[in-house]
Amino acid sequence: MSTTAGVPSLPEVVARVLAREPRAVGRALRLVDDGGPASHALLKALWPHTGKAWVLGVTGNPGAGKSTLCDRLIAAYRARGVRVGVVAVDPSSPYTGGAILGDRIRMSRHATDDGVFIRSLATRGHLGGLTRSARDVVRVLDACGYEVVIVETVGVGQDELEITHTAHSTLVVMAPGMGDEVQAIKAGILECADVFAVNKADREGADTTVRDLELMISLGNESIRALSKARGHATHGMADGFVQPPTPASPDTLPERWTPPITRCVASRGDGVDDVVAALDRHRAWIDGTEAGRARRRARLGEQVRESLREALIEAAVGDLGQQLDEAVRAVDERAVDPYTAIERLVAAFRAR
Ligand SMILES: Nc1nc2c(ncn2[C@@H]2O[C@H](COP(=O)(O)OP(=O)(O)OP(=O)(O)O)[C@@H](O)[C@H]2O)c(=O)[nH]1
Ligand SMILES: [Mg+2]
C-alpha cells in the first residue's frame, strides 16, 4: 500500500480511525456511506477490530420522543464511562439540526464530549442502500471503540425495519395520545421489539397504551408468528417464542424465553429512564448469557448476511446480464414469453457465466 500525493495509505487510515481521530473517522464514515470497492477495503481492514460494541436500535413513531430518550440513554451510559456512538437515520432528528431548538441545545452537551460520536444518515439518496450504509457505519463506530452504538430510526417503512436487524437489542418507543399508535405500529415493529418504552407518561393515555401493548403481546404470539412466517423473516418472535405470560425471574436468573418488558418514562424530564436502562441491560445479558439469546444473535447475523448477499447478487447479475435483462423485459412486455420463463433464462444465463 503506497502513499501517493499526500493520500494516506490504507494502514494509515485504519490506524487513525482506530485512534478515533475525528477527521479520519468522519472521512471513513463518508467513504462507507458511499459504498463501493474503496469502502470494502477499509471495512475489511477494520473488521478484526469490530464485534465488541453492543448495538441498540431505537425505533418508534415520529415524534414519540426517540431522540429525547436517546439523549438520556447517552447520558446514562456516559455516567458509566462507556463510549457511545449514535447513528440517527432520521432527517427530522434533532441530531441533524432539523428539529426543535430545545433538542439541539440538549444535544450540544454531548457534542462537546469526545466519548460520544453522533452521525446522521439522510434517508434521501439511499434508495435501497440505507440498511447497508447504516450497518457499515455501525461497524466503523464499533471498530473505533464505541462500546455502545445507538441506531435511531423512525419505525415506518421496510428500510427502517431492516435496520433494526443490525441491532442486538431493539427499543421501541411509543407515546400516548397520538391516535392509533399501537395499531399503527404493530404490523412491523412489534415483531422486532425487545423492550418497549411508553414515553410521555406525563400525558393522559399512557395507561391505555401500556394496556394495549400488554394485550397485544399476549394475543400477538400466534399472529406475530404467522406474520413473520408469511414474510419469511427469521424474527426472534419465531426463534425464541414471543410468549405470554412473562417468565418471572429474579435479577440473577435469566429467562429461557424473552418477553419484551413494557417500561414507562418521561424522557423530557428523565423520569423512568433508569427502568428503561435496566430493561435494556437485562436484554443484553439475555442475548449474551443464554443459548436462546445467542441463537437469536446468530439468526440476525444470518439475516444480515442474506441481505448483503442479495444486494451483491443483484448488482453482479445486473452488471453481467446488462442487455439481456432489457431484452427479457421487452419480451415479457410484448408477451413473447411469460415472466417465469424469462427469469429462469436470466438465472441460467447468469449461472453459465
Ligand atoms: N410531554 C412530553 N414531551 C416529550 C417527552 N419526551 C419528548 N417530548 C417532546 O416530544 C417532541 C418530540 O421529541 P423527539 O425526541 O424529537 O421525538 P422523535 O421520536 O425523535 O421524533 P422524530 O425523530 O421526529 O421522529 C419534542 O418536543 C420533545 O420535547 C415526554 O416524556 N413528555
Ligand atoms: Mg428523532
Side-chain angles (χ1 to χ4, degrees):
M1 204 55 55
S2 65
T3 304
T4 49
V7 178
S9 68
L10 184 60
E12 277 174 321
V13 172
V14 169
R16 287 181 195 171
V17 168
L18 294 180
R20 283 192 293 282
E21 279 183 31
R23 282 188 51 188
V25 176
R27 226 174 309 139
L29 292 177
R30 270 196 302 281
L31 188 72
V32 301
D33 195 12
D34 291 343
S39 126
H40 284 174
L42 178 63
L43 287 163
K44 281 180 194 167
L46 290 175
W47 174 258
H49 306 279
T50 64
K52 295 185 283 285
W54 174 61
V55 184
L56 168 63
V58 177
T59 190
N61 288 340
K66 298 178 294 297
S67 302
T68 311
L69 186 53
C70 281
D71 175 80
R72 297 286 177 185
L73 294 176
I74 296 168
Y77 294 126
R78 289 302 291 144
R80 295 177 179 177
V82 167
R83 279 188 292 269
V84 185
V86 180
V87 184
V89 190
D90 179 359
S92 66
S93 159
Y95 303 128
T96 63
I100 302 147
L101 186 62
D103 284 343
R104 291 174 63 185
I105 291 167
R106 193 160 54 244
M107 290 309 302
S108 66
R109 66 177 167 152
H110 298 306
T112 56
D113 176 353
D114 67 5
V116 177
F117 194 102
I118 298 168
R119 176 79 178 183
S120 54
L121 284 184
T123 43
R124 255 195 312 257
H126 261 110
L127 293 169
L130 189 63
T131 311
R132 181 210 47 77
S133 185
R135 189 175 54 224
D136 291 344
V137 165
V138 166
R139 285 191 179 141
V140 173
L141 294 177
D142 178 357
C144 289
Y146 292 97
E147 296 136 306
V148 170
V149 179
I150 300 176
V151 184
E152 180 193 334
T153 70
V154 176
V156 290
Q158 191 57 33
D159 258 357
E160 284 80 0
L161 278 181
E162 260 181 32
I163 287 168
T164 63
H165 294 160
T166 305
H168 298 126
S169 306
T170 299
L171 172 67
V172 174
V173 185
M174 319 265 306
M178 292 173 71
D180 230 0
E181 62 273 357
V182 175
Q183 292 301 322
I185 215 162
K186 74 170 176 182
I189 292 275
L190 201 57
E191 54 189 294
C192 67
D194 297 312
V195 175
F196 285 103
V198 174
N199 188 39
K200 306 196 185 183
D202 53 330
R203 289 204 180 156
E204 219 176 296
D207 290 340
T208 312
T209 306
V210 170
R211 262 201 313 277
D212 285 356
L213 273 174
E214 280 168 352
L215 187 70
M216 199 149 291
I217 290 171
S218 66
L219 295 177
N221 193 14
E222 286 311 310
S223 54
I224 285 165
R225 278 166 193 253
L227 199 71
S228 307
K229 212 168 174 176
R231 291 182 183 167
H233 282 177
T235 67
H236 73 289
M238 290 176 71
D240 311 326
F242 192 100
V243 294
Q244 192 73 351
T247 319
S250 77
D252 4 66
T253 56
L254 293 167
E256 186 73 9
R257 291 170 162 173
W258 183 261
T259 302
I262 303 166
T263 58
R264 294 167 190 247
C265 59
V266 182
S268 50
R269 291 203 303 250
D271 299 349
V273 174
D274 288 352
D275 293 341
V276 180
V277 170
L280 291 170
D281 283 346
R282 202 163 159 65
H283 186 259
R284 183 180 187 176
W286 180 81
I287 281 278
D288 289 337
T290 65
E291 199 42 56
R294 284 187 289 271
R296 148 84 197 286
R297 202 167 162 156
R298 270 195 305 279
R300 289 221 166 158
L301 192 63
E303 280 170 45
Q304 283 186 39
V305 170
R306 274 191 291 278
E307 277 159 17
S308 302
L309 180 64
R310 201 177 307 132
E311 279 165 28
L313 279 176
I314 291 266
E315 214 169 280
V318 169
D320 277 13
L321 296 171
Q323 186 132 15
Q324 257 173 298
L325 204 60
D326 298 337
E327 280 162 14
V329 173
R330 198 163 39 240
V332 174
D333 185 37
E334 288 166 359
R335 305 192 70 81
V337 64
D338 68 83
Y340 310 99
T341 306
I343 292 292
E344 278 167 15
R345 286 180 189 159
L346 285 173
V347 171
F350 180 57
R351 280 212 170 118
R353 292 181 73 95

